[in-house]
């Protein structure tokens, strides 16, 4: 059974060739998880900017937009909380899958 050394700047790791495909799939999933977190952060920043802009508008043709601004700020905080909680939950699951499992030498 061939071993393949994966180059990681933080931790070198040797893995079996047949497990390489599974390892790379998990790495792609981790990168997708990070991209999703960045999307949540980007959406939260957009909501923050729009909420602050709406709060600066006092009256727009007799309509008060303050409640829309506060709603946008609330959604901004909600997006950050949901994004980080989903990121942490999936990261914990992936770390559990990436842990080394003891090899069974009895298998032929």
């Amino acid at each position: 059974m061939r071993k393949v050394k994966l180059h990681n700047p933080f931790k070198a790791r040797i893995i079996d060739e047949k497990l390489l495909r599974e390892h790379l799939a998990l790495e792609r999933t981790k990168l997708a998880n990070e991209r999703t977190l960045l999307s949540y952060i980007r959406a939260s920043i957009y909501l923050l900017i729009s909420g602050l802009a709406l709060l600066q508008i006092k009256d727009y043709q007799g309509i008060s937009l303050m409640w829309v601004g506060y709603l946008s700020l609330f959604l901004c905080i909600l997006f950050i909380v949901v994004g980080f909680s989903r990121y942490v939950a999936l990261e914990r699951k992936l770390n559990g899958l990436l842990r080394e499992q003891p090899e069974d030498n009895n298998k032929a």
Side-chain angles (χ1 to χ4, degrees):
M1 182 179 299
R2 280 181 39 191
K3 300 266 186 183
V4 177
K5 183 174 183 179
L6 296 177
H7 297 284
N8 184 345
F10 302 110
K11 177 180 155 186
R13 185 173 170 178
I14 298 176
I15 192 168
D16 292 336
E17 187 177 12
K18 70 178 189 177
L19 297 176
L20 183 61
R21 180 178 296 184
E22 294 172 8
H23 178 75
L24 292 176
L26 289 172
E27 288 297 322
R28 282 191 301 270
T29 306
K30 287 176 85 172
L31 291 173
N33 191 25
E34 291 173 7
R35 261 193 331 263
T36 304
L37 175 65
L38 292 175
S39 296
Y40 273 106
I41 292 172
R42 183 183 59 223
S44 177
I45 289 172
Y46 289 156
L47 286 168
L48 175 69
I49 291 170
S50 64
L52 292 176
L54 288 171
L55 287 177
Q56 294 298 316
I57 299 174
K58 299 299 179 196
D59 284 324
Y60 179 72
Q61 296 178 352
I63 301 171
S64 177
L65 296 175
M66 293 199 57
W67 66 272
V68 178
Y70 286 122
L71 178 65
S72 180
L73 291 177
F74 172 74
L75 288 176
C76 165
I77 294 170
L78 184 68
F79 268 49
I80 286 288
V81 169
V82 168
F84 276 108
S85 65
R86 289 187 65 185
Y87 175 78
V88 169
L90 187 58
E91 190 70 22
R92 286 181 182 164
K93 283 182 186 178
L94 291 176
N95 284 338
L97 292 174
L98 285 175
R99 283 193 197 122
E100 294 287 332
Q101 294 183 4
E103 294 182 17
D104 190 5
N105 294 332
N106 295 332
K107 290 184 179 178

